[in-house]
Amino acid sequence: VIILDGKTTSEKILSDLKIRLEEMSSKPCLAVILVGDNPASQIYVRNKQKRAKELGIESRLISCPQNLQKDELLAIIQNLNADKSVTAILLQLPLPAHLDAFDFISQISPEKDVDGFTPYNLGMLMSARNGFANACTPKGIMRLLEEYKIPLEGRHAVVVGRSNIVGKPLALMLLEKNATVTIAHSKTRNLAQITKCADILIAAAGKSGLITADMVKEGAVVVDVAINRGHDGKLCGDVDFENVKNKVSAITPVPGGVGPMTIAMLMENTVDMFLC
Ligand code: NAP
């Protein structure tokens, strides 16, 4: 079995980016908005800022209280849109329950939308055109598959999960590479019957233990996007890695698979948007 190593692949991407950045006379500036005190979000934001710093990308953290009001968050986004020294804006999700993410994402200037979540950038992806940026997690998965030369054309890809940030954009990217794509979700009947047909199986449900060995076709390529906390407190994905790995031709580990690729794509988007 081939382990699709996102850690090593992302390090290569980041070291290439570092060289590009060293040659640039002015540098991009990434503004990160963090609302509330979600512990996982705090860790993600810290990691993103750490990576940016290592590369010489300036980053700015706008940390807001849990009870932030709608008009306050809109004002923060408008200020960052107007601020010429800020070249990329990231709104860390999830937001507290009283704030609807779409109301705010849709207000970010598409040319600063480093996550590729604005209606403009998602619409460009839907139209098979280049927007300013593509969503980092799906983009990172596509890059990892490309790195390992996994053929996609004509193959059946099953994506479990239909979120706007992972499942849906990934399905479009796979379709663009001529895969035949099925999207499954929590209302899908007979999930196992569908996943068993997958040449490429992407698990992005956020449910540990969801994908067991009997649900996977012999020789399939399995990408586990999820980051769950297991009973033992350790990080795990949706896939029963230990049993599935004996059956498949390639698989991503958790951690060390999709996670590091996501951060690498965020850094790449930050640089590419600054240059275009
Ligand atoms: P999300 O918004 O909660 O979406 C989960 C999707 O999975 C939904 O479409 C849901 O269906 C579906 N689902 C849930 N339970 C299911 C089941 N039993 N069977 C089939 N489908 C099921 O989550 P997300 O933001 O897309 O993230 C998914 C996972 O990836 C999470 O574990 C998250 O932590 C992880 N993630 C990792 C990275 C990374 O960098 N590695 C980045 C982003 C997210 P419905 O639509 O019907 O509810």
Side-chain angles (χ1 to χ4, degrees), residues 201-238:
L201 176 60
I202 317 275
K207 297 274 178 289
S208 66
L210 180 68
I211 307 292
T212 49
D214 58 315
M215 295 169 77
V216 178
K217 182 160 92 174
E218 197 92 34
V221 172
V222 176
V223 174
D224 195 348
V225 186
I227 305 175
N228 308 309
R229 194 62 74 180
H231 300 305
D232 51 6
K234 284 194 189 145
L235 290 185
C236 63
D238 286 348

Side-chain angles (χ1 to χ4, degrees), residues 44 93 117 136-138 141 159-168 183-188 191 203-208 210-211 215 224-229 236-238 254 257-263:
Y44 293 145
L93 302 177
F117 293 162
C136 301
T137 301
I141 294 166
V159 181
V160 183
R162 57 171 163 180
S163 71
N164 289 337
I165 67 173
V166 185
K168 273 191 242 170
I183 307 177
H185 47 78
S186 70
K187 305 292 187 292
T188 297
L191 181 64
K207 297 274 178 289
S208 66
L210 180 68
I211 307 292
M215 295 169 77
D224 195 348
V225 186
I227 305 175
N228 308 309
R229 194 62 74 180
C236 63
D238 286 348
V254 177
V258 176
M261 292 301 293
T262 297
I263 294 207

Side-chain angles (χ1 to χ4, degrees), residues 8-26:
T8 309
T9 307
S10 68
E11 275 160 12
K12 251 195 284 176
I13 294 167
L14 289 169
S15 72
D16 289 348
L17 267 182
K18 194 161 200 280
I19 294 166
R20 277 174 69 193
L21 275 152
E22 277 162 6
E23 287 165 355
M24 286 159 57
S25 51
S26 60

Side-chain angles (χ1 to χ4, degrees), residues 87-90 105 108-122 132-134 269 273:
T87 60
I89 302 171
L90 184 156
I105 289 168
I108 296 173
S109 293
E111 62 272 23
K112 295 190 182 185
D113 165 31
V114 71
D115 266 331
F117 293 162
T118 57
Y120 175 83
N121 284 319
L122 283 174
F132 293 98
N134 269 335
N269 281 355
M273 292 166 85

